[in-house]
Amino acid sequence: MPTTVQNYVDGEWVDSETGETFETTNPAAPNEVVGRFQRSSAADADRAVEAAAAATDEWANTPGPKRGRILERTARGLRERREELTEMLVREEGKAEPEAGGEVQRAIDIFGYFAGKARDVGGTVSGSSAPDRRLYTVEEPVGVAALITPWNYPIAIPAWKIAPALAAGATAVFKPATLAPAVSAAIVEELDEAGLPDGALNYVTGPGSVVGDAFATHPDVDAVSFTGSTMVGESLREAAAPDGKRIQLEMGGKNPVVVSEHADLERAVDVVAGGAFGVTGQACTATSRAIVHESLYDEFVDRLVERAESIEVGPGLEGYRMGPQVSESERDGTLDYVDAGQREGATLETGGGVPEGDRFADGHFVEPTVFSDVDPEMRIAQEEIFGPVVAAIPTTGFDDALEIANDVRYGLSAGIVTDDLTEANRFVDEIEAGVVKVNEGTTGVELHVPFGGMKASSSETFREQGEAGLDFFTISKTAYVNY
């Protein structure tokens, strides 16, 4: 039987005032209901904000080490549930089991990391130009933060917003994506069990156009942190602007890997295939463009096609390497881009359809797809697809490749495969992306260093993760003490 999950407001699990729920289903078997969740209203969102606002003083005045102990207990609770949460994530979002297990572990590690950092939130001491003056800064919590997260990393991204917010002493209202809200509810359960004060974190499910907008426009919300599509992010920026709310947006990507004439070809295929087909291409950092030197192009395409055709697709809990897309609409969107690529004249080398066989009868599966003969101006080379599709673009040299790589509206993650040190360093200096990789994939980031994009991929305001992840949730006050 699927579990019905309530909202969590002011320390209590409660039904929505609407009395309505919505269901989530298994992307590999859409007839299987995973859970039922509250279809919340703006009034539900408002009550959550009011609870968070009422809790700000108590949580802000809780000593950092005590906040850290609550986060550490949360990490321990998530660790004890790792297998359960991995299975839940696969059934809810569709990832292959090893990918889901890695994501759950990332959430555990994030809470462990910020448990330590909570002890260090304070400020800095500087030397003064006056002999009888103390000069120092104090870091104070921002107040109430609204956290709005996507479905593609349904426990890791909530973790990397919730943990630094609470470590910094901010209170939060949290809306997970409606396609995958179950696994993030476990974070709330473990924080509750760990002793988090009532109101410090509130969990409300429902449509983004209702709950998310209510969070973004509520006068008691001081900051909005969003990860998701560029279109929704920009609408949230507009909604938050009249009140001057602090904003943090991490959005789409159209991430390139440049394959230099000085590249190791096998490494290049590994890098592109891993970035393009891992997590079914459903990552904002996924590799969607392979910009390949003409001297290696034909052999690279042949090898990439061979790699794509070797990937076994199927339900994540049955040992397959690539799972389904999260929903029918996401799969159909990918297939629409395949059609667009063919209409515009690109060559479909492999994939591009729904795989055949009994195990694919009901799920939202799509084949790993490779296009060649792609012009940089084609839609499949310019627009985010969010599926396992990679466009191979030939190039005449490094400068040409760099120009093509930068000639999109996005700037999240980018990589180069090369054995030439000059090319590697020039790429780091000249690529327009917030995350730059040399000889490794565009996906996968370390939790203790900043993460974020440029151009339409980000608000370019505050970075996430690492020490920088605390900056969004704190305000610096400078003290001059003349004694």
Side-chain angles (χ1 to χ4, degrees):
M1 288 288 292
T3 301
T4 298
V5 180
Q6 297 173 295
N7 290 336
Y8 181 79
V9 177
D10 203 17
E12 295 184 355
W13 293 96
V14 295
D15 290 338
S16 165
E17 63 134 31
T18 66
E20 299 176 2
T21 61
F22 65 92
E23 294 180 342
T24 59
T25 58
N26 184 341
N31 291 328
E32 177 192 337
V33 176
V34 176
R36 294 187 179 91
F37 302 85
Q38 306 303 306
R39 188 178 297 278
S40 302
S41 66
D44 293 312
D46 289 345
R47 277 194 291 274
V49 174
E50 291 162 8
T56 53
D57 288 346
E58 178 187 358
W59 186 238
N61 292 325
T62 300
K66 184 175 181 179
R67 295 199 296 263
R69 286 193 294 273
I70 290 173
L71 298 185
E72 180 55 43
R73 286 196 291 270
T74 301
R76 192 159 55 242
L78 294 173
R79 189 178 302 115
E80 291 171 354
R81 298 175 63 181
R82 187 178 187 276
E83 291 186 9
E84 169 205 343
L85 297 179
T86 297
E87 180 177 343
M88 183 188 299
L89 200 160
V90 175
R91 291 179 61 232
E92 180 177 56
E93 194 270 348
K95 280 185 173 72
E97 189 169 14
E99 295 170 340
E103 182 182 341
V104 173
Q105 186 60 52
R106 169 57 64 95
I108 295 166
D109 293 343
I110 287 168
F111 271 92
Y113 175 82
F114 283 107
K117 286 297 174 185
R119 297 171 174 83
D120 297 330
V121 176
T124 60
V125 177
S126 299
S128 173
S129 58
D132 300 323
R133 178 193 292 151
R134 301 285 186 195
L135 185 61
Y136 60 94
T137 64
V138 178
E139 298 297 331
E140 296 189 347
V142 70
V144 178
L147 313 177
I148 304 171
T149 61
W151 51 261
N152 61 323
Y153 285 92
I155 191 168
I157 292 179
W160 81 43
K161 294 182 188 294
I162 293 170
L166 296 178
T171 61
V173 289
F174 164 46
K175 194 206 89 66
T178 55
L179 284 172
V183 73
S184 62
I187 293 177
V188 184
E189 292 166 357
E190 294 306 322
L191 282 164
D192 181 62
E193 186 70 21
L196 188 70
D198 296 347
L201 176 68
N202 303 271
Y203 164 93
V204 182
T205 58
S209 59
V210 176
V211 177
D213 284 358
F215 284 169
T217 57
H218 197 289
D220 287 339
V221 168
D222 301 288
V224 179
S225 178
F226 168 81
T227 300
S229 72
T230 300
M231 180 180 69
V232 174
E234 290 302 335
S235 70
L236 283 171
R237 190 205 302 259
E238 292 178 8
D243 290 337
K245 299 184 195 305
R246 183 176 289 198
I247 193 81
Q248 178 184 61
L249 306 174
E250 293 303 336
M251 301 175 288
K254 192 65 183 172
N255 311 298
V257 168
V258 170
V259 180
S260 159
E261 63 182 310
H262 306 293
D264 178 291
L265 194 57
E266 190 62 25
R267 178 188 285 271
V269 173
D270 287 344
V271 165
V272 172
F277 307 131
V279 297
T280 320
Q282 297 179 130
C284 55
T285 55
T287 303
S288 58
R289 295 180 292 154
I291 303 170
V292 186
H293 192 272
E294 58 190 2
S295 65
L296 302 177
Y297 186 80
D298 290 340
E299 186 177 357
F300 172 86
V301 170
D302 288 344
R303 291 197 191 188
L304 185 61
V305 168
E306 182 180 358
R307 184 68 60 84
E309 292 176 346
S310 73
I311 296 172
E312 293 185 311
V313 179
L317 291 175
E318 296 179 18
Y320 294 99
R321 290 171 56 198
M322 193 179 96
Q325 295 212 244
V326 72
S327 68
E328 183 178 12
S329 64
E330 287 292 330
R331 183 197 62 188
D332 290 349
T334 296
L335 297 177
D336 286 346
Y337 273 108
V338 172
D339 290 343
Q342 292 177 291
R343 287 196 306 271
E344 292 185 341
T347 300
L348 179 61
E349 295 283 351
T350 190
V354 176
E356 297 180 356
D358 291 343
R359 71 174 180 265
F360 309 116
D362 299 318
H364 310 310
F365 296 98
V366 65
E367 297 168 322
T369 301
V370 178
F371 276 102
S372 66
D373 305 318
V374 177
D375 184 276
E377 298 305 313
M378 291 179 178
R379 287 181 62 201
I380 59 171
Q382 288 288 322
E383 299 176 17
E384 185 176 41
I385 298 174
F386 229 65
V389 179
V390 62
I393 303 170
T395 182
T396 58
F398 177 81
D399 289 320
D400 182 39
L402 187 66
E403 182 178 352
I404 293 169
N406 282 334
D407 190 25
V408 293
R409 66 189 295 242
Y410 299 104
L412 183 53
S413 182
I416 185 170
V417 183
T418 183
D419 289 334
D420 184 296
L421 188 60
T422 297
E423 287 182 343
N425 281 283
R426 279 195 60 196
F427 189 79
V428 171
D429 290 343
E430 298 176 41
I431 192 67
E432 296 168 357
V435 177
V436 188
K437 302 287 198 74
V438 177
N439 293 326
E440 54 180 82
T442 56
T443 56
V445 293
E446 299 270 3
L447 63 85
H448 60 290
V449 291
F451 172 80
M454 300 170 67
K455 301 194 288 190
S457 292
S458 173
S459 56
E460 298 184 341
T461 48
F462 294 86
R463 290 313 197 206
E464 296 189 287
Q465 303 206 81
E467 289 191 14
L470 293 165
D471 293 343
F472 179 71
F473 301 105
T474 57
I475 297 174
S476 185
K477 177 186 292 183
T478 303
Y480 295 73
V481 180
N482 191 317
Y483 58 90

